[in-house]
Amino acid sequence: MKFGVILATTLVAALAPAAFAQEADPLPSWNGGKARQSIVDFVSKVAKEGSPDFVPAAERIATFDNDGTLWAEQPLYFQFLFAIDRVKTLAPQHPEWKDKEPFASLLKGDTQAALAGGERALLDIVMAAHAGMTTEEFEAIVKDWLAKAKHPATKRPFTEMVYSPMLELLSYLRANGFKTYIVSGGGVEFMRAFAERVYGVPPEQVIGSSGKLKFEMRDGKPVIAKQADVEFIDDKEGKPLAIQKFIGRRPIASFGNSDGDLQMLQWTAAGAGPRFCLYVHHTDAEREWAYDRKSSVGRLDKGLDEAAAKGWTVASMKDDWKRIFRFEK
Amino acid sequence: MKFGVILATTLVAALAPAAFAQEADPLPSWNGGKARQSIVDFVSKVAKEGSPDFVPAAERIATFDNDGTLWAEQPLYFQFLFAIDRVKTLAPQHPEWKDKEPFASLLKGDTQAALAGGERALLDIVMAAHAGMTTEEFEAIVKDWLAKAKHPATKRPFTEMVYSPMLELLSYLRANGFKTYIVSGGGVEFMRAFAERVYGVPPEQVIGSSGKLKFEMRDGKPVIAKQADVEFIDDKEGKPLAIQKFIGRRPIASFGNSDGDLQMLQWTAAGAGPRFCLYVHHTDAEREWAYDRKSSVGRLDKGLDEAAAKGWTVASMKDDWKRIFRFEK
């Protein structure tokens, strides 16, 4: 009897922290609306053994866009801001840039004129910022920039421009056996430099756009050098293709914020069994930004129609998010 | 005092199975030579907290070649045998193959003449066997073939042609916190069809050669269709590049059997901290095959020299492996 009592006491003491953790709200930055409820309903049914919608842990794959979904993307994708700073740093070694667009305008401080060349101009800037160095040198440069650079509007480090509700969502999914991936148009090596520390997503679960790489010997040691050519743009149709190539398994949940994520959500939704698709809708001009159908950055137009037609969850920043950034009062 | 005794008894009872498991030999198919010892020494030092060579679990990445390293590759890479069978099945739909090499020879049963065209002929056959179908259709076809086809020499299913010592090694590494990857010249979707069941390696940890993919709508549903063009050959320099692209972290241990794995081993060896490289050496003409410097399949020439020069482990099948296949007496 005494043994039983002691064992019972020990068990209660051992279980208490787990029970407490389970009861604590895993999504405190979310308001209690439909969006939050749809997330909790989905996770509960797929992770609960014995549920008719149970999904084995190995198949609980969740994919997240990055720019505009996990962190902000205004006034310009942060990686372009990095690339612009990098071009300025490298300018003394490239006297030819003085007469060559988009570099000439950029170096004169006229970002708008530099970007008049559209996607091509953006790519030229990004490639110039990346080419020639080894992957390890590049990682060090990105980390250094992230430690020092400040967002032009908030004056905060860029890694503080991440969304609290989405950080909680990543943790909540992982606590329920999900493997969380980033599948983003951003450069894969740029994102890997901070994804593990900031999002808890290790490098091998970060999928992104990439430039060509070259394996070569430098001073008798093998290095991998970044080349000036684009290899793959991880956007639109590129997203489901990258998912197939890198993961080889269809996600059961996907999260995006723009038309560039639509094919990823379609691919996710079209699988058999329970599926979850969510669009983050930028509706809060006060705390973040408000933009959708007509924005040049992160346009959400077709996606908004398809979400309505298919019954996907649309999380309105203004209504569904109690807190957007950690630094908010 | 009594509480202490009961607790101590409970603890002993709870720990016993773990202690027992630790003492059971994790590598029973290995003979007790230098190769085995070098593996155990490496794993012990990197996985032991407090050891000067301790490596955090997140960085314990191990990469394995497949053909000739995890399963046999004679008389021809098994995927080519699959592709040849597939071409025969598809022949009625391709009357033009009767007059077109390498298909004409293949359909006449003259494999040697068909392969006289070298790598190009092999690629044509593989691509013909893959193109047009969706990734899901392809997976079903590979699984069906693996369930029925037999190895020409042993008359065993191909998935029984896997090496017991390497299966044990995969499990041993995972039990010590390693993430095990396949990085092989084989087709990624071909390997994913059996890697999880046979090797315990999930699809997202299988990296291989790939054909181009296309995202498209069929009957209003999104599918991913395999195209006839080669996208990437995961061999030689391709291996470290694929590791960087897919994993984004340098492995601390790599395992191969041919010169096609050399750059992967070089890349692994050149990192800072403890490193482990192993070549499987095919030295057993009786139980498996014996080949190295002059073989057209799985040539191991430069790699053998570099292993000697760098002090990498070379596991001789004849001397280091007590049992090669599970079906051996």
Side-chain angles (χ1 to χ4, degrees):
Chain A
M1 193 60 190
K2 190 152 186 206
F3 181 75
V5 170
I6 289 167
L7 200 66
T9 315
T10 313
L11 273 173
V12 167
L15 291 174
F20 177 77
Q22 214 165 20
E23 275 168 38
D25 181 0
L27 301 169
S29 300
W30 290 75
N31 285 320
K34 265 197 223 169
R36 184 189 193 286
Q37 196 56 48
S38 69
I39 294 168
V40 173
D41 288 349
F42 174 76
V43 172
S44 307
K45 71 181 181 184
V46 300
K48 193 182 165 189
E49 211 139 351
S51 143
D53 289 315
F54 176 73
V55 175
E59 293 168 25
R60 278 179 233 153
I61 304 279
T63 48
F64 288 81
D65 170 56
N66 183 41
D67 298 300
T69 300
L70 295 180
W71 75 355
E73 59 184 353
Q74 297 284 3
L76 247 189
Y77 298 123
F78 297 171
Q79 190 175 357
F80 289 133
L81 299 176
F82 160 77
I84 290 169
D85 281 354
R86 190 83 198 126
V87 163
K88 289 178 186 164
T89 306
L90 293 173
Q93 298 157 244
H94 291 274
E96 77 279 10
W97 284 351
K98 268 186 210 144
D99 309 305
K100 195 179 164 190
E101 289 300 346
F103 306 101
S105 297
L106 207 62
L107 295 172
K108 278 179 215 139
D110 190 348
T111 308
Q112 207 147 9
L115 299 183
E119 202 168 298
R120 185 68 252 170
L122 285 170
L123 273 179
D124 283 345
I125 292 166
V126 170
M127 287 297 124
H130 289 205
M133 67 191 99
T134 70
T135 49
E136 283 168 353
E137 288 162 355
F138 182 73
E139 184 185 339
I141 287 166
V142 174
K143 283 185 170 165
D144 182 61
W145 182 80
L146 287 171
K148 293 174 186 161
K150 297 284 190 320
H151 187 277
T154 65
K155 310 297 175 198
R156 300 274 173 174
F158 289 98
T159 49
E160 287 186 20
M161 300 295 292
V162 298
Y163 305 133
S164 277
M166 298 306 283
L167 291 179
E168 293 163 8
L169 182 52
L170 284 165
S171 297
Y172 176 57
L173 288 170
R174 289 193 292 256
N176 282 279
F178 279 77
K179 206 163 178 175
T180 53
Y181 279 85
I182 293 173
V183 179
S184 167
V188 64
E189 278 148 352
F190 182 80
M191 295 187 291
R192 280 174 177 164
F194 65 93
E196 189 160 39
R197 180 174 61 84
V198 176
Y199 300 133
V201 176
E204 64 268 27
Q205 285 160 229
V206 177
I207 301 170
S209 298
S210 53
K212 289 202 173 138
L213 299 174
K214 195 170 172 222
F215 180 81
E216 58 187 40
M217 293 288 170
R218 289 190 185 173
D219 305 323
K221 279 193 76 172
V223 299
I224 293 179
K226 289 172 76 66
Q227 307 294 294
D229 307 311
V230 174
E231 183 182 66
F232 175 67
I233 302 287
D234 188 26
D235 197 34
K236 300 192 173 71
E237 297 78 17
K239 293 203 176 199
L241 297 183
I243 287 170
Q244 175 62 24
K245 213 156 61 169
F246 283 74
I247 311 178
R249 200 164 237 166
R250 199 194 296 244
I252 64 166
S254 279
F255 304 84
N257 79 299
S258 80
D259 284 356
D261 304 312
L262 181 56
Q263 287 82 354
M264 174 167 81
L265 271 61
Q266 288 173 330
W267 177 241
T268 300
R275 302 281 145 176
F276 188 78
C277 292
L278 181 147
Y279 262 128
V280 171
H281 193 186
H282 294 265
T283 51
D284 197 322
E286 248 172 70
R287 295 184 298 166
E288 208 247 3
W289 284 268
Y291 58 96
D292 49 29
R293 295 186 189 272
K294 288 179 181 166
S295 177
S296 62
V297 168
R299 176 175 301 175
L300 178 61
D301 181 31
K302 286 182 198 162
L304 217 43
D305 295 338
E306 187 138 344
K310 298 263 178 79
W312 296 343
T313 296
V314 177
S316 160
M317 281 196 167
K318 189 169 180 170
D319 305 318
D320 290 308
W321 288 5
K322 197 178 293 175
R323 192 173 66 157
I324 297 180
F325 300 113
R326 277 204 193 139
F327 55 76
E328 279 170 27
K329 276 167 223 156
Chain B
M1 193 57 190
K2 191 152 189 204
F3 180 75
V5 169
I6 290 167
L7 200 67
T9 313
T10 314
L11 273 174
V12 167
L15 290 175
F20 177 76
Q22 215 166 17
E23 274 167 39
D25 181 1
L27 302 168
S29 300
W30 290 74
N31 284 321
K34 264 198 223 170
R36 184 188 193 287
Q37 197 54 48
S38 70
I39 295 168
V40 173
D41 287 349
F42 174 76
V43 171
S44 307
K45 71 181 180 183
V46 300
K48 193 182 165 189
E49 211 139 351
S51 143
D53 288 315
F54 177 74
V55 175
E59 292 167 26
R60 278 179 233 153
I61 304 280
T63 47
F64 288 81
D65 170 56
N66 183 41
D67 298 299
T69 300
L70 296 179
W71 75 357
E73 59 183 352
Q74 297 285 4
L76 248 188
Y77 298 123
F78 298 170
Q79 190 175 358
F80 289 133
L81 300 175
F82 160 78
I84 290 170
D85 281 355
R86 190 82 199 125
V87 163
K88 289 177 184 164
T89 306
L90 293 173
Q93 297 156 242
H94 291 274
E96 76 280 10
W97 284 353
K98 266 186 215 145
D99 308 305
K100 195 181 164 188
E101 289 298 350
F103 306 101
S105 297
L106 207 61
L107 294 172
K108 279 179 216 140
D110 190 348
T111 308
Q112 207 150 9
L115 299 184
E119 201 169 299
R120 184 71 251 168
L122 285 169
L123 273 178
D124 283 347
I125 292 166
V126 170
M127 287 297 125
H130 290 206
M133 67 191 99
T134 70
T135 49
E136 284 169 352
E137 288 162 356
F138 181 74
E139 184 185 339
I141 287 167
V142 174
K143 284 185 170 166
D144 183 61
W145 183 81
L146 287 171
K148 293 176 187 160
K150 298 283 192 317
H151 187 276
T154 65
K155 311 296 176 198
R156 300 274 173 173
F158 289 98
T159 49
E160 288 186 20
M161 300 295 292
V162 300
Y163 305 133
S164 277
M166 298 306 282
L167 291 179
E168 293 164 7
L169 182 52
L170 284 166
S171 297
Y172 176 56
L173 288 171
R174 289 193 292 257
N176 281 281
F178 279 78
K179 206 163 179 177
T180 53
Y181 280 84
I182 292 172
V183 179
S184 166
V188 64
E189 277 148 352
F190 182 81
M191 296 187 289
R192 280 173 177 164
F194 65 93
E196 189 160 37
R197 179 173 60 83
V198 176
Y199 301 133
V201 176
E204 65 269 27
Q205 285 160 230
V206 178
I207 301 170
S209 297
S210 54
K212 287 199 174 142
L213 300 173
K214 194 171 172 222
F215 180 81
E216 58 187 39
M217 292 289 171
R218 290 190 184 173
D219 304 323
K221 277 194 77 172
V223 300
I224 293 179
K226 289 172 77 66
Q227 309 294 295
D229 306 311
V230 175
E231 184 183 65
F232 174 67
I233 302 287
D234 188 26
D235 197 33
K236 299 193 172 74
E237 297 77 19
K239 292 202 176 198
L241 297 183
I243 287 170
Q244 174 61 24
K245 212 156 63 169
F246 283 73
I247 311 178
R249 200 165 237 165
R250 197 193 297 242
I252 64 167
S254 279
F255 303 84
N257 78 300
S258 80
D259 284 355
D261 304 313
L262 181 56
Q263 288 82 352
M264 174 167 82
L265 272 59
Q266 289 173 328
W267 178 241
T268 300
R275 303 279 145 177
F276 188 77
C277 292
L278 181 147
Y279 262 128
V280 171
H281 193 188
H282 294 264
T283 50
D284 196 321
E286 248 172 70
R287 295 184 299 167
E288 209 246 2
W289 284 269
Y291 57 96
D292 49 27
R293 296 187 188 270
K294 287 176 181 170
S295 177
S296 63
V297 167
R299 174 173 305 174
L300 178 61
D301 181 30
K302 285 181 198 163
L304 218 41
D305 295 337
E306 186 138 345
K310 299 263 177 79
W312 297 342
T313 295
V314 177
S316 159
M317 281 196 167
K318 189 168 178 172
D319 305 318
D320 290 309
W321 288 5
K322 196 178 293 175
R323 192 172 66 156
I324 297 180
F325 300 114
R326 276 202 193 142
F327 56 75
E328 278 169 27
K329 276 168 226 158

